[in-house]
Every structure is written in structure tokens, then in C-alpha cells.
Amino acid sequence: MSTARRFVAGVDSSTQSCKVVIADPDSGDIIRTGSAPHPPGTEVDPEAWWTALQEAIAAAGGLDDVAGLSISGQQHGLVALDAEGRVIRDALLWNDLRSKVAARDLIAEVGAADYVARTGVLPVASFTAAKLRWLRDAEPDNAARVAAVALPHDWLSWRFLGYGPADVSVRGPVLEALVTDASDASGTAYFDPSAPGYDLDLFRIAFGAPAREAAGLPCAADTDVEAESPDVDGDGDGQAASAIILPRVLAPNEAAGHSPDEILVGPGAGDNAAAALGLGVTSGDLVISIGTSGTVFGTTDLPIADSSGAVAGFASADGGRLPLVATLNAARVLDSAAKLLRVSHDELAALALASRPGADGLTLVPYFEGERTPNLPDATARLEGMTLANSAAENVARAFVEGMLCGLADGLDAVQAQGLEAGRLLLIGGAARNPAVREVARDIFTVPIDVPEQAEYVAIGAARQAAWTLSGSLPDWSVELVATLHPRPSRVRQQYRFFAAQTAAQQTANTVSPGHTTSETTSSEPSMTERSSSELSSSQRSSSDQSLTDHRGSSGAHASVKG
């Protein structure tokens, strides 16, 4: 490695913004950082991501001293390209739930057990396969133009390598140069992480057209090439040159090529897989990340096939598996509480800490955006158990914090049910800085919780992957801890489970329609929504048994995340 180019860069192109970290490849020390915002919404023009990447790189002082770079990004988003490499329509993001019916239809057509056996996941509205089905049915003219399908990090890597529409790129619209990695591909619902490889039949079922993996361009990314694709022989099974191109899946530290500026580009990763790399997650570590979405995940070599759909059996960025539970309602729940109570986030934390475990009987079921796990896309949030005695701001504040964390605790149970052991939890994300979140977590989780120093672990993980791609060996980077939290027994989760089960049952009853049986519409709900607590006091149970009007809210609105 030349002294002029001795550092590595990692990119986190998330829902809200693009972050760039530049690090020493040996120690992992952060040299400098930069960021730029993304536009809000659940569908976004990918050009906004490209612009933000350039701005974030500039804010980080440029890449003149960078030898390697990897890009991680939000998962599941649908980037549809035409034959000229142009984006056909705004990308549908993971939090766009208009494809909820499409997801149910895919499960009905393939069968839940078969789907999980083939991909490790059960389709929900967030996944790319469901979005493809929606595009096919809702926008047939756009669907007819699709020549390639990419994910956000795939498209950004392709652009950074110099490809794109002829009028805006150095190397032109070479779709065969599209690349991805197993961690991000495993979030499409047409990829088998145990193979690993695409399940092209599932793609055809989803979109109604054949697909094939990009042939790749050996060494082409290291030189300026003509914008034409190599010949691909057809074999009559979706492999013809006219089939829709899916990005070539790279090995965990396989280079995608060099950028026009001679920067080696790593394979990149899905955001949670990159975070696991950045945190140095090993067996016995389970991560709880509280950002725009909430996630619970860990790394394992165990096969993951949760037939309930609660746990997605994604691939990790290091060649293993990354079982993951995701919730749509995480840090935004705190935003909602602050807005409702007309306080700052610091004041919200103080209020919550002035209450006590259980919030004097108040319980929030926090499905403000619908929910992905459990799979209740039309659900709305409920504040339950309110009486004249407990209707105080501090109890409301604590109920919001507890509800958010209880949803993640149920996710932790589901991940552990797949065979993963929890020796410790790692609490990360913007909301992990909130003192009330840290304190209330002690009442809800049952194993020690380490809080790492606040850092951009997704981007750091991408930088660590870039260093791995450069050197051929995964470097050992340390992670500083700022707190260790010890659990204390409480009854908060029992109280929460009762009301969450009521909400799930009511939503299930309201979403059953002609042509869809209850099993079809709820096949991806985890059993945790079916449990209720027999330990609630009679007064709590009495208040919770009152009938409630069902407000069939739509979800997908974007909100900012604050610590």
C-alpha cells in the first residue's frame, strides 16, 4: 500500500443520511468523518443518494489518501434500472409498506414453509420480492422497462466504480458490472443464504419474468471499458441474455474492482451486517440497535429457518448467518412522545425516570407505523390502561420508552429461540444515548448490557471490510464501552404482552378478507403476539378489556431520529 493512499473508507448510506468514515486499516482509529442528509420519504430518487455520497466524501476531506472503500446501505430497497442504466422510478424503501398485499400473495402462492426453507425468510412488505410484485401489478409500464434490479448499496457501488447512464458516468451503463454481497442479497426474499445464491424461480414468481446473475467483468472495473455487456449464453432456464440482471454476489472480502480514481472497492454489505462487523460481534453477542428501525441480531453458523417469519435468516458479512428481527417503530417512538408532551428529548428522559417500572399501569403498544415484526402493517399505536390516577406526564413518558424496548425484547426472545445464546447485549443506535432508555432497559432485559461508545458502526464495519479486502485478512479493531448495565427483575414485559396480544388479535381479525384466510394474513406473525399475561392485576385487566375502535392507519411516513 502506498504511503499516499494508506487509509480505508466506509460508507453508511442509511434511510436518513450518508455517513463516511476514514480509518487506519491496522488500528481502526478514525481519522476523519463526513455526512450529508437524504431526503425524507418512503420512495426516493437514488440520485439523491449519489449526491449525498459526494457531499459526505467532501465533508470528510476527500479520498486522496484512501486506498480502499466499501459501501453499506439500507436493505431491501428496490432500484429498478432500464437497459441504459437509468433509474426507472423512485426507489421503494424498506419502510414503504404499499406492497403488504403482494407479500401475502407470495406466501400464499409458494407456501410459508417452502419459502422459509428456500430463503431463510418469509416475505413481508419491506422485502424486495414483495416490492417487485407490487411494481408488476401496479405499474406494468414501468415493470416492462426493467433490465436490472439492484439494492441501494449495489447501485451506489456501481456508480462509484464509474458506471451509470452514459451521460453521467465514465464507464457507461454496463449492467454486467453490478455487484452485491450475500448479506444484502439475503434481504430480497429471492436469495438462498445457505447455498449461497439466487433462487431465480422465486424471482420469476415475484416479478413474472426470468432473471440471471450478472456475468461480471473480470478486470473491467480496473480500466475504462466500452459500455457493452459480454455475451451470455442462454440455457433455456432464465439464463438468456435477455433475462433481468441481478448483481453478481461477491465473497465477503472479494474486490468489486477499482474506481476511476484507483480506489479498490469492496463488496459492501447490508447495514446490520456491516454494524456487526464494526462492533466485532462474536458468538454470545446479540445486538440491539435503536435507530429509524429497531433491530435485534447476532452472528452464527447455525442454519436459520423460522417458519413463523419472526426471525429473518439473513447472511452475515463474514460468510455466516445473521438472524435478525426488525421493528418499524424504534427511536421514532421517542420523537412521538416528545412531540405529544411538548418537551425536549432530555426533558422526556427526566420525566420517564421520575416514574417507576410499569408506569403505574400505563402501557404503550407502539405500532405508530404499522409493524413489521410482528407482521401488522395496518396496526396503529395504543396507549392502554389509562386511569385518572396514572394520567401523568411522567407515566406517559415511561410507557413510551417501555413499549419501544418491550417490542425489541420480544425480538430478542425470538432470536434466542433459534439457538443463539446471549452472553451479553450490545445496545447501539441514536436512542442508546438517551439515559431513560439505558435505565429502563435494566427492567426489561435479563442479561448484562454493554453500551459501546457512540460511533457510526455501520460505516466503521464497511471500512473494516475495505481493510479486509485490501490485505486479505480481517483486522482486529477494538470497541470502547461507555457503560455496562446490569438487569433487575420487573413485571414490565408481562404487562406489555397482554396488550400487545390484544392489538395483534384485533388487527388479525380486521385484515382477514375474501380470498385470504387467517393463516395467510398472519403466517409471518411470531407466536409472541399470541401470548397474554395471567399475572396482571384485576384492575389492569378490567381496563384492558374495554373495546377499542380500530383505526386502520397507513404507515411509511419518515421521521427523524434523535438521541
Side-chain angles (χ1 to χ4, degrees), residues 320-385:
R321 300 294 286 274
L322 191 86
L324 180 144
V325 167
T327 67
L328 294 179
N329 299 281
R332 292 180 289 186
V333 174
L334 304 185
D335 292 336
S336 179
K339 182 178 179 180
L340 175 68
L341 297 173
R342 299 181 180 180
V343 297
S344 68
H345 279 258
D346 288 341
E347 291 168 331
L348 178 70
L351 283 171
L353 291 173
S355 181
R356 57 185 179 181
D360 282 343
L362 274 186
T363 298
L364 176 77
V365 182
Y367 300 157
F368 289 95
E369 301 287 346
E371 191 47 86
R372 168 172 159 176
T373 307
N375 186 30
L376 300 170
D378 290 319
T380 55
R382 308 286 178 91
L383 187 60
E384 304 275 10

Side-chain angles (χ1 to χ4, degrees), residues 1-373:
M1 185 186 307
S2 71
T3 56
R5 290 189 180 272
R6 59 180 302 262
F7 298 128
V8 291
V11 176
D12 172 16
S13 182
S14 71
T15 313
Q16 292 183 304
S17 64
C18 181
K19 281 86 67 177
V20 173
V21 301
I22 295 171
D24 183 283
D26 299 319
S27 66
D29 292 342
I30 304 302
I31 308 303
R32 55 188 190 271
T33 65
S35 66
H38 285 160
T42 64
E43 54 178 318
V44 173
D45 182 352
E47 282 296 328
W49 303 333
W50 179 244
T51 298
L53 176 58
Q54 306 311 306
E55 293 174 352
I57 288 171
L63 302 177
D64 289 346
D65 53 0
V66 169
L69 174 145
S70 281
I71 298 174
S72 61
Q74 55 178 301
Q75 291 189 260
H76 316 310
L78 170 61
V79 182
L81 302 175
D82 67 15
E84 300 303 318
R86 299 190 184 280
V87 175
I88 293 170
R89 71 169 326 279
D90 287 354
L92 297 177
L93 307 190
W94 63 272
N95 55 352
D96 191 298
L97 303 185
R98 71 187 72 182
S99 48
K100 59 193 176 187
V101 174
R104 295 169 186 157
D105 290 343
L106 288 174
I107 294 170
E109 292 168 23
V110 177
D114 192 27
Y115 224 121
V116 171
R118 293 168 69 171
T119 65
V121 301
L122 202 58
V124 292
S126 297
F127 290 173
T128 317
K131 298 181 188 306
L132 281 167
R133 171 59 67 86
W134 177 88
L135 181 66
R136 186 198 76 175
D137 294 344
E139 299 180 355
D141 290 343
N142 282 335
R145 296 171 55 203
V146 174
V149 172
L151 301 169
H153 116 256
D154 310 342
W155 183 82
L156 280 170
S157 295
W158 187 64
R159 291 297 306 273
F160 191 81
L161 285 165
Y163 299 103
D167 58 340
V168 297
S169 67
V170 174
R171 291 173 172 158
V174 187
L175 300 179
E176 298 293 347
L178 282 163
V179 295
T180 191
D181 87 307
S183 73
D184 214 3
S186 65
T188 61
Y190 48 81
F191 181 86
D192 180 1
S194 64
Y198 291 111
D199 188 321
L200 298 176
D201 182 55
L202 286 178
F203 181 95
R204 181 189 55 76
I205 291 171
F207 196 53
R212 62 174 176 83
E213 186 172 356
L217 299 174
C219 299
D222 297 343
T223 59
D224 291 331
V225 297
E226 294 297 324
E228 78 181 45
S229 300
D231 291 334
V232 179
D233 293 330
D235 63 4
D237 188 23
Q239 299 298 311
S242 61
I244 292 168
I245 294 173
L246 305 178
R248 185 166 64 95
V249 182
L250 301 177
N253 68 329
E254 181 181 354
H258 287 81
S259 74
D261 294 330
E262 299 183 351
I263 296 173
L264 187 69
V265 179
D271 51 4
N272 291 295
L277 270 186
L279 289 163
V281 172
T282 59
S283 178
D285 294 338
L286 291 177
V287 180
I288 296 177
S289 176
I290 314 177
T292 306
S293 63
T295 54
V296 182
F297 59 89
T299 60
T300 183
D301 291 327
L302 296 172
I304 303 297
D306 181 6
S307 59
S308 76
V311 180
F314 297 145
S316 67
D318 61 2
R321 300 294 286 274
L322 191 86
L324 180 144
V325 167
T327 67
L328 294 179
N329 299 281
R332 292 180 289 186
V333 174
L334 304 185
D335 292 336
S336 179
K339 182 178 179 180
L340 175 68
L341 297 173
R342 299 181 180 180
V343 297
S344 68
H345 279 258
D346 288 341
E347 291 168 331
L348 178 70
L351 283 171
L353 291 173
S355 181
R356 57 185 179 181
D360 282 343
L362 274 186
T363 298
L364 176 77
V365 182
Y367 300 157
F368 289 95
E369 301 287 346
E371 191 47 86
R372 168 172 159 176
T373 307

Side-chain angles (χ1 to χ4, degrees), residues 429-444:
R433 289 176 288 179
N434 187 304
V437 169
R438 294 186 186 184
E439 186 66 17
V440 171
R442 298 177 60 203
D443 299 318
I444 292 172

Side-chain angles (χ1 to χ4, degrees), residues 508-532:
T508 297
N510 288 333
T511 55
V512 175
S513 60
H516 289 89
T517 66
T518 300
S519 62
E520 286 170 352
T521 56
T522 63
S523 58
S524 59
E525 291 173 21
S527 59
M528 59 192 173
T529 64
E530 300 169 358
R531 299 195 300 262
S532 64

Side-chain angles (χ1 to χ4, degrees), residues 350-498:
L351 283 171
L353 291 173
S355 181
R356 57 185 179 181
D360 282 343
L362 274 186
T363 298
L364 176 77
V365 182
Y367 300 157
F368 289 95
E369 301 287 346
E371 191 47 86
R372 168 172 159 176
T373 307
N375 186 30
L376 300 170
D378 290 319
T380 55
R382 308 286 178 91
L383 187 60
E384 304 275 10
M386 184 171 283
T387 66
L388 290 175
N390 65 16
S391 301
E394 57 266 29
N395 291 331
V396 173
R398 191 173 187 105
F400 272 63
V401 176
E402 289 179 344
M404 178 188 72
L405 289 173
C406 281
L408 290 164
D410 282 347
L412 176 64
D413 287 348
V415 169
Q416 289 183 271
Q418 293 298 305
L420 278 74
E421 296 183 0
R424 66 165 180 165
L425 305 181
L426 292 165
L427 187 64
I428 65 170
R433 289 176 288 179
N434 187 304
V437 169
R438 294 186 186 184
E439 186 66 17
V440 171
R442 298 177 60 203
D443 299 318
I444 292 172
F445 300 108
T446 59
V447 295
I449 305 164
D450 281 341
V451 183
E453 182 179 26
Q454 186 68 25
E456 299 293 349
Y457 287 106
V458 176
I460 290 170
R464 190 175 179 221
Q465 184 193 64
W468 187 15
T469 304
L470 273 172
S471 68
S473 60
L474 185 62
D476 185 12
W477 292 359
S478 62
V479 176
E480 296 295 326
L481 301 179
V482 297
T484 296
L485 311 174
H486 297 286
R488 58 192 175 201
S490 79
R491 294 164 56 84
V492 173
R493 290 193 66 197
Q494 288 92 327
Q495 180 175 306
Y496 172 84
R497 283 170 174 161
F498 178 78

